[in-house]
């Protein structure tokens, strides 16, 4: 690999930050990852990643990237207890999307392998592999105070960092600075201070509130690996039950526009409106482990750095620092992984005009995920926002796809691949898929619609 500089500094040990550091390590003699948290010695929640307490899914597209950048890490997680769903047996998952229940039996003709680690478990394994690289250092327990620049402010030359338990600060020089500090990123402030102004922002208010609870469930209690019911018109709630490492389960309940669940009893109250009876029976008999965790996401937000006419050299932004999606759709980590591959390709092309090349290329990936998430949210009357004709047509087409997903294993398989960000949504418009969709929508069998909730709530 071509060496482009002496040092790259990555701000934040988020999944986006760790994957960005991995690709930067191919082109810089030294990579320093600056994070507010000291890396844990075992899988555990970090203060800097409060959303890690809640349900996460690494989509198939993200799994492929992880396997490419850290060969063998998936097998390591499985050996340490992470469950896997790879046989395409649809009886092992319950998914309801937009009010449509995915085909509940049979096998997918072209299955993808899904790995089911919890977020702390996943982060810990990736951090362990990243830290083992000889030219990567993780500087934990530090905050990023500011960026430094050349006299003409055309290039970012490093960052000012300070220990969390001290008042003095130090300058860490860099040929490339990568901001992966998440939704709370201070890049708009940094750019403004350097004279570049702030980016335009696209935003959709969703008022999402999460409540999650770890559970101990009897070994033979649930056959399924995963239960996920997404919002539908008239019911803007999400209930997810995920089988994680070492026979532990995580239940997450999300609400949009209504009061969040306060405790496990309140989570069960909402679950009664969404999950089948046999799942609810097990949940009511489960043993809660520890306290419930809470998290809020006021909006989905895309900072349009790709549209800025001026940008300093030596500085890029990645992951949630660019775009934070409604997390119920599980896109964040996978988009960050795909952005890391984009950064890799851009670095292979040299560092000339690197920031603009990367931001514009990464925006193509972000745009697909943004449209999917925003369109899904705006299909709900509970979410306020403009619904242009193109979006209404798109949502009508999506409803036809989901109707076919209820009964057709081939459409089901293709939708899983699109949902997992392995394939473009345009794959759903192939003639062979359209014929199957038309057949399913003409038949519209009522008996396979989403099951009635367990109780009236």
């Amino acid at each position: 690999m071509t060496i482009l500089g002496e040092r790259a500094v990555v701000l934040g040990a988020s999944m986006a930050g760790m994957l960005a550091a991995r690709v930067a390590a191919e082109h810089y003699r030294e990579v320093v990852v600056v994070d507010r948290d000291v890396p844990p010695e075992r899988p555990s929640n970090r203060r800097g990643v409060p959303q890690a307490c809640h349900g996460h899914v690494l989509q198939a597209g993200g799994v492929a990237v992880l396997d490419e950048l850290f060969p063998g890490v998936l097998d390591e997680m499985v050996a340490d207890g992470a469950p896997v769903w790879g046989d395409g047996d649809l009886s092992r998952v319950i998914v309801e999307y937009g009010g449509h229940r995915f085909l509940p039996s049979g096998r997918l003709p072209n299955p993808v392998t899904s790995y089911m680690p919890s977020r702390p478990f996943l982060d810990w394994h990736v951090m362990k592999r990243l830290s083992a690289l000889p030219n990567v250092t993780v500087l934990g327990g530090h905050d990023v105070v500011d960026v430094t620049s050349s006299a003409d402010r055309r290039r970012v030359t490093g960052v000012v960092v300070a220990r969390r338990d001290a008042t003095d600060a130090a300058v860490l020089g860099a040929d490339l600075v990568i901001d992966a500090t998440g939704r709370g990123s201070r890049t708009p402030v940094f750019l403004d201070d350097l004279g570049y102004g702030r980016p335009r922002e696209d935003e959709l208010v969703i008022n999402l509130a999460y409540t999650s609870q770890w559970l101990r469930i009897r070994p033979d209690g649930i056959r399924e690996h995963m239960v996920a019911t997404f919002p539908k018109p008239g019911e803007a709630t999400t209930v997810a039950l995920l089988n994680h490492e070492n026979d532990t389960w995580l239940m997450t309940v999300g609400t949009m526009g209504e009061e969040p669940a306060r405790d496990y009893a309140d989570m069960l109250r909402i679950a009664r409106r969404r999950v089948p009876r046999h799942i609810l029976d097990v949940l009511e008999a489960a043993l809660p482990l520890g306290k419930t965790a809470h998290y809020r996401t006021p909006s989905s937000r895309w900072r349009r750095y790709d549209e800025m006419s001026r940008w300093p050299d030596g500085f890029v932004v990645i992951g949630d620092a660019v775009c934070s999606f409604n997390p119920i759709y599980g896109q964040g980590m996978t988009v960050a992984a795909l952005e890391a591959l984009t950064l890799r390709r851009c670095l292979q092309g040299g560092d000339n005009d690197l920031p603009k090349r990367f931001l514009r290329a990464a925006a193509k990936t972000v745009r697909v995920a943004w449209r999917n998430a925003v369109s899904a949210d705006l299909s709900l009357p509970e979410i306020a926002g403009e619904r242009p004709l193109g979006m209404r047509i798109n949502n009508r087409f999506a409803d036809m796809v989901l109707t076919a997903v209820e009964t057709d294993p081939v459409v089901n398989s293709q939708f899983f691949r699109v949902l997992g960000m392995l394939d473009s949504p345009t794959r759903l418009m192939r003639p062979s898929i359209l014929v199957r969709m038309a057949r399913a929508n003409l038949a519209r069998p009522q008996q396979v619609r989403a099951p009635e909730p367990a109780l009236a709530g």
Side-chain angles (χ1 to χ4, degrees), residues 194-226:
L194 291 172
Y196 290 87
R198 298 185 180 222
R200 180 179 72 82
E201 295 184 356
D202 293 335
E203 188 170 32
L204 179 66
V205 175
I206 55 174
N207 291 320
L208 172 69
Y210 262 176
T211 306
S212 291
Q213 176 70 61
W214 283 96
L215 300 171
R216 182 71 68 189
I217 292 173
R218 67 177 189 268
D220 61 343
I222 295 181
R223 184 175 186 273
E224 292 83 0
H225 285 299
M226 176 182 71

Side-chain angles (χ1 to χ4, degrees), residues 56-219:
H56 279 75
V57 174
L58 182 64
Q59 303 285 7
V63 168
V65 174
L66 204 63
D67 190 46
E68 179 176 345
L69 296 182
F70 295 104
V73 71
L74 298 171
D75 292 337
E76 289 175 9
M77 288 192 291
V78 172
D80 283 350
V84 180
W85 177 57
D87 60 3
D89 181 356
L90 290 167
S91 70
R92 304 303 299 272
V93 295
I94 295 175
V95 179
E96 182 191 318
Y97 201 100
H100 298 264
R101 165 76 187 274
F102 284 29
L103 186 65
S105 61
R107 291 185 184 273
L108 295 175
N110 186 22
V112 296
T113 300
S114 296
Y115 294 81
M116 309 287 289
S118 67
R119 177 64 187 272
F121 190 83
L122 173 63
D123 281 1
W124 185 80
H125 278 84
V126 174
M127 176 64 78
K128 184 173 68 170
R129 293 294 295 271
L130 178 68
S131 300
L133 297 178
N135 62 333
V136 173
T137 301
V138 179
L139 184 62
H142 282 72
D143 284 322
V144 177
V145 178
D146 205 349
V147 297
T148 60
S149 70
S150 58
D152 59 8
R153 299 188 175 185
R154 292 184 178 179
R155 171 176 283 275
V156 169
T157 58
V159 294
V160 180
V161 299
R163 288 185 59 89
R164 305 215 75 210
D165 57 358
T167 57
D168 57 325
V171 174
L172 190 60
D175 298 292
L176 176 65
V177 173
I178 304 172
D179 179 8
T181 54
R183 186 180 176 93
S185 163
R186 297 183 63 214
T187 285
V189 176
F190 297 154
L191 291 174
D192 209 22
D193 289 345
L194 291 172
Y196 290 87
R198 298 185 180 222
R200 180 179 72 82
E201 295 184 356
D202 293 335
E203 188 170 32
L204 179 66
V205 175
I206 55 174
N207 291 320
L208 172 69
Y210 262 176
T211 306
S212 291
Q213 176 70 61
W214 283 96
L215 300 171
R216 182 71 68 189
I217 292 173
R218 67 177 189 268

Side-chain angles (χ1 to χ4, degrees), residues 158 160 182 312 327 352 417:
V160 180
N352 184 42
R417 294 183 65 84

Side-chain angles (χ1 to χ4, degrees), residues 4 13 56 121 140 176 181 202 235-236 238 242 262 273 311 331 390 414 447 449:
L4 300 178
H56 279 75
F121 190 83
L176 176 65
T181 54
D202 293 335
E235 184 63 74
T238 298
L242 303 174
R262 297 180 299 275
R273 296 163 15 200
W311 189 273
Q331 297 173 303
Q414 184 60 74
Q447 67 272 19
R449 293 291 182 183

Side-chain angles (χ1 to χ4, degrees), residues 109-110 397 400-401 404-405 408-415 423 425-441:
N110 186 22
F397 178 78
M400 294 174 65
V401 172
V405 162
D408 191 303
V410 174
V411 180
N412 214 302
S413 183
Q414 184 60 74
F415 188 76
D423 290 347
T426 58
R427 298 283 291 175
L428 291 166
M429 301 183 71
R430 287 178 297 158
S432 60
I433 297 295
L434 292 175
V435 168
R436 288 178 172 275
M437 285 170 48
R439 186 182 302 134
N441 277 266

Side-chain angles (χ1 to χ4, degrees), residues 300-370:
S300 298
R301 184 175 62 194
W302 184 6
R303 290 168 169 154
R304 301 306 306 270
Y305 294 123
D306 57 300
E307 295 180 346
M308 295 185 69
S309 59
R310 297 174 60 244
W311 189 273
D313 289 330
F315 187 48
V316 299
V317 195
I318 196 169
D320 282 0
V322 176
C323 186
S324 54
F325 307 90
N326 184 336
I328 66 173
Y329 304 115
Q331 297 173 303
M333 290 192 297
T334 300
V335 169
L338 295 173
E339 287 177 319
L341 284 192
T342 299
L343 179 61
R344 187 189 220 182
R345 290 191 292 269
C346 289
L347 287 169
Q348 289 169 348
D351 60 358
N352 184 42
D353 203 28
L354 172 66
K356 286 187 177 180
R357 286 191 290 117
F358 168 71
L359 290 170
R360 290 170 182 170
K364 296 177 182 178
T365 297
V366 172
R367 184 173 292 110
V368 173
W370 176 264

